[in-house]
Amino acid sequence: MSDSTLQQSPVASNEKEFLSFVLGKEHYALDITTVKEIRGYEAATKIANAPAFIKGVLNLRGDIVPIVDLRLKFNVGEATYNEFTIVIMLHVHERIVGVVVDGVSDVVRLTDEQILPPPEFGVAFDSQYLHGLSEVDDTMVILVNIEKLITSDALALVDSNPNMSLAG
Amino acid sequence: MSIDVEQFHGVFFDESEEHLQAMEDLLMIIDVDAPDIEELNSIFRAAHSIKGGSGIFGFDRLTGLTHIMETLLDKARNQTIELDTAIVDLFLETVDILKATLTAYREQQPLPEAEIAAGIAQLEATLSALDDAPKGDSVQNQDAIEEDDGFGFFDDLPEPDSTSETVEASADTDDLFGDLAFGADAQNAERAAPQATTEEEDGFGFFDDIVTPDVNNSPQSDEAFGFFEELPEPPKTPVASVTPIQTAAKKPAATNNSSAARESGSIRVDTAKIDGMVNLVGELVITQSMLSMIGRDIDGQSGEMLQAAIDELQRNTREIQESVMSMRMLPVNMTFNRFPRVVRDLSQKLGKQVKLVIEGGATEIDKSLIEKLVDPLTHLVRNSIDHGIESPQTRAEAGKPESGTVILSAQQKGSSIIISISDDGAGLNRERIMDKAVQNGLPVSLDMPDSEVWQLIFQPGFSTAAEVTDVSGRGVGMDVVRRNIESIGGRIEIESNLGKGSSFSIHLPLTLAIVDGMCVTVGEQIFVMPLLNIIESFQPKPEQIQTIGNDNVLWIRDEYWPLVPLHQMMQVDDAIAEPTESIIVLLESGKNRFGVQVDALMGQQQVVIKSLEKHYKKVAGVAGATIMGDGKVALIIDVDSMAQSCQLTIKHEVCA
C-alpha cells in the first residue's frame, strides 16, 4: 500500500476509497486514508495485565505500536495465526495501531448513495462503531468507523483511566 | 544598507542573556569595600556589549538603560565613586529590568516602560547625587547627555557618537554580530573618528592610528580593551585613587585568557538538530546490535573478518553516542548560578543570615534536565531558607552560628546525578508533620519510620508552616516538586535531624534517552533492568527462600527481602516457577530493596528507551520499551514503581 494511492483524490466528489478485509466469514471495510501499511502477522511482545485482544507491542521501524486482534475483541471467526494472517497498520490521531485480520481483499470506491445506514443487530461490531453497509459484487460489506473504534474506551488503547492497578 | 538584521536578533538575545547573567553573577560576588577592578571591568564590558548590540538593532529601551548604568559603572571602576550595597542593589535591580525588557523584545510583548523609566530615574538620581560629591567628573556627565539619543546605526548619516558606539561593538571580539557592523563602520570610522574620540571611552587600540592622539586626553580611556595590544595607561588621569600600574598589569592576562577561551570555538546549534541526531544515533545503536547478532552466525574466514569489522563498528557507535550525548550536556552551574541571588534576596527579606555554598557546579547533566530542574530546586532552596534556617536569635540561643548555611551540591555517581540541598537549620519536625497528616486525614501510624514520615510532606496541600508568607507555606509545592522530579525520571530523598538540619537529595539519570541495562529472560520474553538499580544477582539456596503467607521472601545478610517473581507480575507463561532453579536479581530503588526472580541473565547492554505511551499507554511496572538486536521489542522494568507496589503488598500482609 503506497502513500500515493492514499493521497489521490477520488474521481467523483462524494466518492471515497475503502479497504475491505475479512474477519471470519464477514466482510468489512475501513477508510483507506487511515491505513499506513499492510504486513504479515508476527508474534508481538506481550504486555502484562492487558486484555486478551491486545496481542502486545511490535517494533515498526523504531516505533513501538500495539497490536489489536479484532477477532478476539468482537468474537468473530477463530483467532488463528498463520502465514496468511494480516496486520493492517493504521494511523489514527497521531497514533499507530496494528489490527489483526484474517485477510485483506480489495480497495473499493463507494459514493455516499451506495452506503446504507448500519443495521441495529446481526453484526459482531457494536453499531456505534459502524459507518454503514454497502454491497460490493453481491457481497455485503460492513463499513467500520475505525477512528471511533480505535479511540474508544472499549479497546482501551488510549490512556483514559489512570487508576490501573498493579497485579502483584 | 539592506542587510537583513533580523537573522542576528536571536544571537543578540542569547548573548545579551549571557551578559546579563554574567553581570548578575559578578555583582553577587563583588566586595563593596574593596571591589576587584577586573570584576568591575567585566561588568562594565557586559553592559557595554548589550548597549552596543541593542544600539545596532534599534532596541533603544535597552540602550537607554544600559547606557546610564554603564556611566555609573564606569565611575565605579574608575573609583570616582565608592561602591556601597545600595548601588550594588540598584545594579541588580537594573539587571532585572534589563532581563524583563530583553524578554519583552524577544517575545515581541509590550515593553515594561514603567519599570524602565523608573530604573532610569533611579540610576540618574544616584548618578546626580554622586556627581554632586566632590569626586564628580563633569566630562562624563556631558558624555551621558550627548550619547543619550539612541545609537542609530541605520541612520543615513551617522551621528558622531553613533559611530563611536558601533566601532566599539565591532572591535569587541565576543560579539558575533560585530562582524555585521564592522564593514560599514570601517568607512564611517575614518570620517567620524576625530570627533568620535571625544567620547571614546574605551581606547580600543583597534583604531590606534586614528584614535591615539585623543585617547591620552580622554579621562576614561583606562579601559583598554586591547584588541591586539594593551594601551598605555594615561598618566594624566585626574582621579587620584586610580592605581594604574596594578590594573594595567592585571588586565592583559585576563583579557587574553577570556577571549582565547571563547575563541577556542563554540557554536550555537539549534537543540532540535541535536535531538534529531540523538534519535538517529539511537537507531544506529539498534542496527549495530542487529549486525552483531547476525555476525555471530557466520562462520569461516569471512565470519572472522565480519566480526572484527563489527567490533570496530561497535566501538565507533559507542563513541559517537557518547559524543552526541555530551553535546547535550551542560554544567549544573547553569541552574545553580541563579541561587546566590535567590538566597541573597530571600534572606534579606526574611531577616535571616544565610550563606550559600555551591559544590560540584561543573558536573554535567542533560540539557533537558537542566531546564526542568530550575523550579523544583528554587522551591527547595526557598524552603530551606524559609522553613529550615532559623532566625539569628534562635540560632544563637541554640548555640549555632548566627549565619546559617545552605549547601547546594551536585555529584555524579555512576550513571546518575545526585543534586542535594542541605541546610544546617531546624530540620523537619516529626510531631508537626504527624499532626498535620492526621488533620489532613492521611493514614499514619505512630511507629512509622522517619523516612516515611518525611515522605508525607510530598502530599498535596501539606504545609506545616505556622503562617502563610509570600515565600512559602501555602502547601502547594512539595507535591509539585516531587511530580516535576519524577517526570524527569528522578526521585527525591529526605534526611533530617531535628535541630541539626535537613537534606533533600534529588537522584537523576544522566540522560533520558539511553540506559545501561541488564537483559534477563523470563519464559520466551526478554526484559531489561536498569543496571543502576541492580545490586547483585545469584542463584538462591533453598534455605534462603522462606514463605510468608502465599509469598516467598528472601533471607539474605540477616534480612528479609520481598521477592517478586517477574513471570507472575508480567504474566509470562512457561517461566521457571521454582525460585531455587531461577536467578534472583537484587534491586534497589531509593531506600527500598527487593529481589526479582527471573529465568536467566542474558547480558549487559546499552538500550535506547522508546516510549510506550506514544502509540499505546502507560503500562504498570514498565518504564518503557526498547528494540533488541533481532528487531523484537523488550520491556524495560520500572524499578521504582515495582518497589512501591511490593512495599504495598508487604504492608498489606503485615496489617492483615
Side-chain angles (χ1 to χ4, degrees):
Chain A
M1 192 57 46
S2 75
D3 278 354
S4 60
T5 45
L6 303 185
Q7 296 306 320
Q8 265 170 21
S9 58
V11 182
S13 62
N14 61 349
E15 205 177 46
K16 270 188 173 170
E17 283 187 310
F18 291 87
L19 177 73
S20 65
F21 58 94
V22 187
L23 289 183
K25 293 194 179 94
E26 293 174 15
H27 290 261
Y28 293 84
L30 51 82
D31 182 358
I32 206 163
T33 56
T34 60
V35 177
K36 187 177 166 66
E37 67 180 65
I38 296 168
R39 46 155 61 200
Y41 179 82
E42 54 182 300
T45 302
K46 252 190 77 179
I47 299 273
N49 305 312
F53 63 82
I54 292 180
K55 300 303 295 177
V57 286
L58 213 61
N59 162 27
L60 184 72
R61 289 184 298 278
D63 275 311
I64 312 283
V65 301
I67 305 296
V68 181
D69 195 331
L70 288 183
R71 300 171 301 184
L72 287 171
K73 173 67 194 165
F74 294 108
N75 250 329
V76 238
E78 265 176 67
T80 51
Y81 303 95
N82 53 35
E83 65 267 38
F84 305 112
T85 313
I86 295 290
V87 178
I88 307 174
M89 290 292 178
L90 300 169
H91 201 253
V92 178
H93 292 292
E94 309 275 301
R95 286 162 171 267
I96 303 171
V97 176
V99 169
V100 185
V101 298
D102 283 320
V104 290
S105 7
D106 205 356
V107 178
V108 291
R109 292 184 168 207
L110 297 171
T111 60
D112 285 349
E113 291 82 55
Q114 287 172 284
I115 301 173
L116 308 169
E120 292 292 319
F121 53 87
V123 238
F125 279 55
D126 191 328
S127 61
Q128 61 168 316
Y129 305 127
L130 296 186
H131 184 63
L133 276 183
S134 193
E135 211 177 84
V136 179
D137 302 332
D138 298 330
T139 320
M140 187 186 73
V141 175
I142 303 154
L143 305 181
V144 182
N145 185 345
I146 199 72
E147 280 191 37
K148 197 167 176 190
L149 179 64
I150 294 297
T151 52
S152 69
D153 289 344
L155 283 194
L157 284 173
V158 186
D159 235 341
S160 54
N161 55 336
N163 48 351
M164 276 184 44
S165 63
L166 260 183
Chain B
M1 218 168 300
S2 61
I3 308 167
D4 175 20
V5 286
E6 292 204 357
Q7 57 179 315
F8 298 104
H9 281 185
V11 179
F12 166 72
F13 289 137
D14 288 346
E15 285 192 353
S16 298
E17 252 166 41
E18 278 167 23
H19 286 314
L20 284 173
Q21 190 57 52
M23 280 162 81
E24 190 177 298
D25 293 347
L26 288 165
L27 283 167
M28 290 305 301
I29 54 170
I30 213 152
D31 179 0
V32 287
D33 299 324
D36 182 342
I37 298 298
E38 192 45 49
E39 282 169 13
L40 280 170
N41 278 336
S42 299
I43 300 172
F44 178 83
R45 276 197 294 268
H48 191 74
S49 300
I50 297 170
K51 183 173 87 164
S54 58
I56 291 173
F57 293 113
F59 300 131
D60 51 350
R61 287 294 177 272
L62 283 177
T63 324
L65 196 54
T66 35
H67 173 71
I68 186 155
M69 183 182 187
E70 192 189 87
T71 314
L72 200 53
L73 275 167
D74 193 41
K75 284 180 187 292
R77 70 184 176 132
N78 288 344
Q79 304 188 349
T80 2
I81 58 166
E82 272 178 34
L83 273 183
D84 56 32
T85 337
I87 295 182
V88 172
D89 280 345
L90 182 60
F91 282 146
L92 281 170
E93 279 163 32
T94 314
V95 169
D96 283 346
I97 303 170
L98 286 172
K99 277 184 181 168
T101 316
L102 192 67
T103 316
Y105 270 122
R106 182 192 279 250
E107 288 165 7
Q108 303 188 334
Q109 299 286 322
L111 298 170
E113 299 282 2
E115 282 89 346
I116 298 170
I120 291 179
Q122 226 177 341
L123 284 168
E124 267 169 354
T126 314
L127 200 56
S128 60
L130 290 165
D131 276 346
D132 291 341
K135 278 182 175 180
D137 156 2
S138 61
V139 181
Q140 266 186 342
N141 221 2
Q142 195 190 343
D143 165 35
I145 296 155
E146 279 175 28
E147 282 189 279
D148 230 14
D149 53 338
F151 302 96
F153 176 60
F154 300 105
D155 290 354
D156 291 334
L157 285 170
E159 304 271 334
D161 23 303
S162 77
T163 313
S164 100
E165 282 308 313
T166 41
V167 165
E168 288 163 15
S170 59
D172 190 339
T173 49
D174 297 344
D175 294 326
L176 286 176
F177 45 78
D179 298 341
L180 168 74
F182 182 71
D185 284 326
Q187 303 145 11
N188 287 344
E190 277 181 59
R191 254 192 300 123
Q195 303 117 285
T197 41
T198 43
E199 289 99 31
E200 181 62 71
E201 305 170 330
D202 305 321
F204 262 107
F206 189 55
F207 296 102
D208 252 1
D209 300 349
I210 310 158
V211 173
T212 313
D214 281 331
V215 161
N216 286 340
N217 297 333
S218 164
Q220 292 110 12
S221 60
D222 65 338
E223 161 67 4
F225 261 105
F227 196 4
F228 294 120
E229 57 178 290
E230 185 69 14
L231 270 183
E233 206 65 39
K236 290 174 288 197
T237 315
V239 185
S241 56
V242 170
T243 48
I245 299 157
Q246 196 192 339
T247 46
K250 263 157 86 186
K251 264 180 231 157
T255 316
N256 291 347
N257 280 348
S258 67
S259 64
R262 282 183 214 174
E263 277 164 19
S264 72
S266 72
I267 52 165
R268 289 177 190 278
V269 182
D270 191 343
T271 40
K273 284 188 187 170
I274 295 180
D275 289 347
M277 200 156 168
V278 171
N279 284 338
L280 279 176
V281 169
E283 299 299 314
L284 187 64
V285 171
I286 292 165
T287 319
Q288 175 258 310
S289 50
M290 280 184 195
L291 270 178
S292 26
M293 258 196 56
I294 299 166
R296 272 180 230 139
D297 296 339
I298 296 175
D299 301 324
Q301 203 195 347
S302 53
E304 269 171 36
M305 281 161 68
L306 180 68
Q307 203 55 53
I310 287 174
D311 287 348
E312 185 76 29
L313 178 69
Q314 199 162 2
R315 248 194 320 277
N316 291 341
T317 322
R318 190 172 262 269
E319 268 168 33
I320 291 179
Q321 192 183 316
E322 274 166 12
S323 67
V324 170
M325 293 323 278
S326 75
M327 278 187 212
R328 291 177 53 98
M329 301 296 238
L330 291 172
V332 192
N333 253 340
M334 298 279 286
T335 309
F336 280 4
N337 62 14
R338 74 184 56 221
F339 288 107
R341 181 74 192 277
V342 171
V343 171
R344 182 181 192 271
D345 288 358
L346 201 61
S347 53
Q348 272 182 1
K349 196 160 157 189
L350 295 169
K352 293 180 182 178
Q353 291 173 19
V354 184
K355 199 170 83 202
L356 179 73
V357 179
I358 290 181
E359 290 168 359
T363 314
E364 290 195 326
I365 189 167
D366 198 281
K367 181 179 187 297
S368 57
L369 297 179
I370 291 254
E371 286 154 7
K372 287 173 183 152
L373 264 178
V374 174
D375 286 349
L377 276 184
T378 313
H379 199 95
L380 289 173
V381 168
R382 291 173 77 106
N383 264 358
S384 279
I385 298 170
D386 193 21
H387 302 315
I389 303 285
E390 314 91 325
S391 64
Q393 295 137 292
T394 324
R395 290 184 66 89
E397 282 161 22
K400 295 194 209 177
E402 283 190 11
S403 163
T405 309
V406 173
I407 302 170
L408 200 55
S409 81
Q411 56 166 317
Q412 185 175 348
K413 201 176 153 194
S415 58
S416 67
I417 295 278
I418 300 168
I419 294 177
S420 64
I421 302 103
S422 332
D423 62 64
D424 62 350
L428 295 173
N429 188 324
R430 189 185 160 103
E431 265 86 68
R432 264 176 46 205
I433 294 172
M434 292 294 264
D435 287 351
K436 185 78 186 178
V438 173
Q439 263 179 48
N440 283 12
L442 296 168
V444 288
S445 60
L446 283 174
D447 53 355
M448 273 164 85
D450 276 355
S451 59
E452 280 176 42
V453 176
W454 305 151
Q455 290 293 324
L456 288 171
I457 66 169
F458 293 117
Q459 294 294 327
F462 204 97
S463 174
T464 55
E467 57 191 281
V468 173
T469 63
D470 65 338
V471 178
S472 48
R474 279 160 308 213
V476 280
M478 287 309 271
D479 59 321
V480 179
V481 167
R482 184 165 73 170
R483 224 179 23 245
N484 282 352
I485 286 167
E486 281 175 355
S487 76
I488 50 177
R491 58 171 204 270
I492 181 163
E493 281 168 19
I494 306 177
E495 274 174 50
S496 177
N497 262 326
L498 192 61
K500 289 193 181 139
S502 47
S503 167
F504 292 77
S505 31
I506 302 170
H507 297 241
L508 291 169
L510 260 185
T511 165
L512 296 177
I514 290 175
V515 68
D516 269 312
M518 172 64 79
C519 302
V520 300
T521 54
V522 179
E524 304 256 285
Q525 233 170 297
I526 297 170
F527 291 94
V528 181
M529 296 179 175
L531 217 50
L532 179 65
N533 299 99
I534 297 179
I535 306 168
E536 62 172 282
S537 55
F538 59 94
Q539 186 159 21
K541 296 187 183 75
E543 63 269 22
Q544 288 179 308
I545 307 290
Q546 317 242 340
T547 312
I548 296 181
N550 292 323
D551 288 325
N552 291 325
V553 290
L554 275 174
W555 174 254
I556 315 166
R557 298 183 194 137
D558 298 331
E559 262 182 88
Y560 282 110
W561 296 49
L563 179 58
V564 184
L566 198 59
H567 65 94
Q568 262 177 37
M569 186 178 166
M570 291 295 162
Q571 301 178 330
V572 184
D573 307 326
D574 353 301
I576 300 171
E578 183 53 46
T580 47
E581 286 165 24
S582 58
I583 300 284
I584 306 281
V585 183
L586 290 187
L587 294 178
E588 174 184 46
S589 155
K591 296 267 185 286
N592 296 329
R593 295 169 156 212
F594 59 100
V596 170
Q597 180 190 331
V598 302
D599 288 6
L601 303 180
M602 274 178 71
Q604 186 180 326
Q605 190 184 333
Q606 276 206 323
V607 298
V608 180
I609 303 173
K610 299 265 177 184
S611 158
L612 266 180
E613 283 145 89
K614 192 172 167 202
H615 302 292
Y616 186 51
K617 58 184 176 185
K618 184 146 183 54
V619 176
V622 173
T626 190
I627 296 162
M628 303 303 289
D630 58 359
K632 287 240 163 58
V633 177
L635 300 178
I636 302 167
I637 303 285
D638 182 352
V639 180
D640 288 338
S641 82
M642 212 160 151
Q644 273 162 22
S645 79
C646 76
Q647 280 306 103
L648 287 178
T649 351
I650 297 264
K651 248 181 254 158
H652 187 71
E653 269 155 21
V654 171
C655 299

